[in-house]
Amino acid sequence: MTGTDIAIVGAGAAGLMAAIWAARTRPNARVTVLDGAERLGAKILVAGGGRCNVTHERVSPEDFNGGSRHAIRKVLLRFDVPETVRFFGDLGVTLKREPTGKLFPTTDRARTVLDALLAGARGAGVIFDYPRRVEAVDYSHGLFDLRGAWGSLTARRVILATGGRSVPKTGSDGHGYVLARSLGHTLTPRILPALVPLLLPAGHPLTGLSGVSSEVVLALTQDSGRALVTVSGPMLCTHFGISGPAVLDISRHWQPAALDAPSVQLIVNWLPGESFESVDRALAAHPGSALRWLEGRLVERLARTLCAAAEVNPSEPLSRLTRDQRRTLAAGLTHCVLPVEGTRGFQYAEVTAGGVPLTEVDLKTLESRCQPGLHLCGEILDVDGRIGGFNFQWAWSSGYVAGCAAAESLA
Ligand SMILES: Cc1cc2nc3c(=O)[nH]c(=O)nc-3n(C[C@H](O)[C@H](O)[C@H](O)COP(=O)(O)OP(=O)(O)OC[C@H]3O[C@@H](n4cnc5c(N)ncnc54)[C@H](O)[C@@H]3O)c2cc1C
C-alpha cells in the first residue's frame, strides 16, 4: 500500500483544477490524481464541438440550476471569470470572446486547453496515476484508503471530482455517487440528464427536416398556459427529434416538469418577436402566398412543412384561405406544440442535473460536512449550468476552492 497527502479522484476539468491549486498551495505535499479512464480529459476534448467553450464573459448564479443561487455565488466569486482568463493566460492559453459572449481558446482547439492543464499540473508536481478506477474509499484513524482492482492508496485528504453520469464512456459513469454515499452523503432525489437532445415520435414532420436549424423561442407551459421557462436561440431538427442550444437549455427543465406533471407542453414559436395575433393580422393583409410571406423568415423546407401541418397549400394566395385555415397556420407558426417523448439520455447529455446537495459541503472549503478531510468539486455536486461555458466555470471555481482548501488543511 502506498500513500499520498491528497488523492484526487477524477482528472476532468474540476479534478485537474483542484490538483493544480492543491500543489501550488502546498508545493511540498504529494498530490496524486487517479482516473479510471485510459486517456485523460475526454470530456474536455469533446467540449464545444472540439473547441472547448472554457467560460463565458459574464457568469452569474442565475446561469445555474441545482443548489441555491446564494451557495453557487459564494463558490463562483472565489475564482471568477477574470481569474479564469488570467489562469489560462499564465498556462499559455489565450482566450477569445465570440459574439455570444462565449470564451474559446484562440487556437479553436480543445487539445490546447487539456494539454495546458496537464502541463500545469505536472509542472506543479502533481502525480498522475491512470487507469486507476477507484472502487471504494474508506476512512479510519485519520486516513483514507482508496481501493480498486489496481491495489490501494492511502491519503490524508481526498477530493472527489468524479463528475456526474453524462457521457459515461468518458469515464463519468456515476460511480462517484456510490463513493460519496459510502462516505455518508445523500444525493438529490433526482439525477437526470441535462443539456440533452429531445425525442419526438417517429415520423413526426420535424424528423424529416434533419439538419434544418432555426432561431426560435421555446416555452415550457403548464395546463393553465402559464410559461414555466422560456428560452430563445437556435433549434436544430434531427432524425430523432430536436437539438441545438435552445433545446439543450430547456431540456434541463422539461424532464423534471414532465415527471411532475405529464400535461406540461413544450411550445415553439418559429417567429421570435411575433405573436399569434400579429402573425394572423399579417397573413390576413398579405397579398401573396404563405410561402411568399415566410420567405426570409424561415427556410423553405421548414416553411413547407409547417404549412403542410396546418393543411395549407403554401403556394395558394393567403386571401383564399378560410379564417380557420389562416388561424391554424398562425398558431402552427407561433404556438406549435412539440410532443416530446423523452430525452436521448445520459449517453448524449452534456451534464447531469442533481448530485450531492450543496448543503452537505462547507461552501468556503467544499469540505464534506459528513466526512472531514473529504472535499467535493465539479459536476458531482448538485450544480448544472446552461449552455455557454458555465459548466466549465463551475468546474474551475469549485476545483480551485477544493484544491486550495484541501492543501491548506494539511498544516
Ligand atoms: C459533449 C459535451 C460537450 C460539452 N461542452 C462544454 C462546453 O463547451 N463548455 C462547458 O462549460 N461545458 C461543456 N460540457 C460540460 C463539461 O464538460 C462538464 O460539466 C465538466 O467536464 C465537468 O467536469 P468534472 O471534472 O466535474 O467531471 P468530468 O469531466 O466528467 O470528469 C470526471 C473524471 O472522473 C473520472 N472518474 C469517474 N469515476 C471515477 C472513479 N470511480 N475512479 C477514478 N476516476 C473516476 C472520469 O474518468 C473523468 O475523467 C460538455 C459536456 C459534454 C459531454
Side-chain angles (χ1 to χ4, degrees):
M1 190 189 298
T2 50
T4 191
D5 291 311
I6 302 176
I8 298 171
V9 188
L16 290 173
M17 191 68 177
I20 291 173
W21 286 98
R24 286 185 181 179
T25 303
R26 208 163 279 287
N28 295 326
R30 281 163 304 167
V31 178
T32 307
V33 183
L34 304 168
D35 199 293
E38 297 273 343
R39 293 206 191 114
L40 298 181
K43 219 174 257 182
I44 294 176
L45 290 178
V46 296
R51 296 197 302 135
C52 190
N53 177 192
V54 172
T55 184
H56 195 277
E57 65 170 342
R58 233 177 293 150
V59 175
S60 80
E62 284 67 41
D63 297 309
F64 296 85
N65 294 290
S68 82
R69 299 267 155 90
H70 167 73
I72 294 170
R73 171 180 283 113
K74 266 189 121 166
V75 176
L76 291 174
L77 281 177
R78 293 281 304 283
F79 199 88
D80 59 11
V81 175
E83 290 271 9
T84 303
V85 173
R86 209 170 312 131
F87 167 76
F88 278 103
D90 290 345
L91 289 182
V93 182
T94 45
L95 301 177
K96 62 173 175 181
R97 178 191 168 282
E98 301 216 324
T100 52
K102 296 178 182 178
L103 268 59
F104 288 88
T106 49
T107 57
D108 278 327
R109 290 182 70 230
R111 168 64 66 189
T112 315
V113 176
L114 176 61
D115 286 350
L117 288 167
L118 291 172
R122 290 195 170 106
V126 172
I127 301 153
F128 285 95
D129 214 353
Y130 65 98
R132 292 274 188 270
R133 182 179 152 89
V134 176
E135 302 290 351
V137 182
D138 294 319
Y139 178 83
S140 75
H141 301 100
L143 279 181
F144 291 91
D145 180 25
L146 298 93
R147 291 190 310 281
W150 43 273
S152 68
L153 176 74
T154 57
R156 294 169 64 198
R157 304 285 180 271
V158 166
I159 301 178
L160 272 188
T162 45
R165 287 183 57 193
S166 57
V167 194
K169 66 176 181 213
T170 61
S172 324
D173 59 2
H175 192 66
Y177 298 137
V178 177
L179 301 178
R181 288 179 75 156
S182 76
L183 291 163
H185 282 282
T186 65
L187 300 176
T188 53
R190 283 179 182 156
I191 298 209
L192 297 172
L195 306 190
V196 61
L198 297 175
L199 303 172
L200 293 175
H204 186 278
L206 294 186
T207 61
L209 295 177
S210 193
V212 169
S213 177
S214 197
E215 285 289 325
V216 299
V217 178
L218 288 172
L220 195 58
T221 61
Q222 284 174 323
D223 267 353
S224 62
R226 194 175 75 87
L228 297 167
V229 189
T230 305
V231 170
S232 44
M235 174 165 110
L236 174 71
C237 299
T238 71
H239 64 283
F240 56 78
I242 46 175
S243 189
V247 172
L248 299 186
D249 273 337
I250 212 151
S251 71
R252 177 1 165 151
H253 306 280
W254 177 80
Q255 201 170 11
L259 286 170
D260 287 337
S263 57
V264 293
Q265 288 189 321
L266 184 61
I267 291 170
V268 55
N269 181 347
W270 296 100
L271 301 170
E274 300 282 0
S275 63
F276 168 79
E277 289 78 15
S278 69
V279 170
D280 188 41
R281 268 196 311 273
L283 294 176
H286 188 72
S289 65
L291 210 52
R292 278 286 303 283
W293 189 77
L294 286 168
E295 209 178 280
R297 292 183 165 93
L298 294 179
V299 295
E300 189 179 330
R301 278 173 72 202
L302 178 57
R304 284 185 184 278
T305 301
L306 296 177
C307 286
E311 297 184 10
V312 163
N313 177 346
S315 310
E316 191 178 352
L318 284 162
S319 55
R320 285 206 212 135
L321 301 188
T322 64
R323 180 172 180 270
D324 278 355
Q325 278 180 311
R326 196 187 65 231
R327 286 170 69 84
T328 306
L329 180 59
L333 291 169
T334 56
H335 200 267
C336 174
V337 178
L338 298 170
V340 176
E341 288 195 322
T343 77
R344 280 201 109 194
F346 279 110
Q347 253 169 311
Y348 294 92
E350 291 204 2
V351 285
T352 307
V356 174
L358 286 184
T359 48
E360 294 185 4
V361 290
D362 175 342
L363 296 169
K364 286 201 204 83
T365 57
L366 292 182
E367 184 175 11
S368 160
R369 293 188 193 278
C370 308
Q371 172 57 67
L374 173 72
H375 298 251
L376 298 99
C377 59
E379 205 176 305
I380 188 173
L381 290 166
D382 176 24
V383 178
D384 56 288
R386 62 184 183 91
I387 288 277
F390 302 97
N391 286 297
F392 275 138
Q393 187 58 54
W394 174 253
W396 314 135
S397 300
S398 62
Y400 168 84
V401 172
C404 293
E408 277 158 12
S409 74
L410 285 173

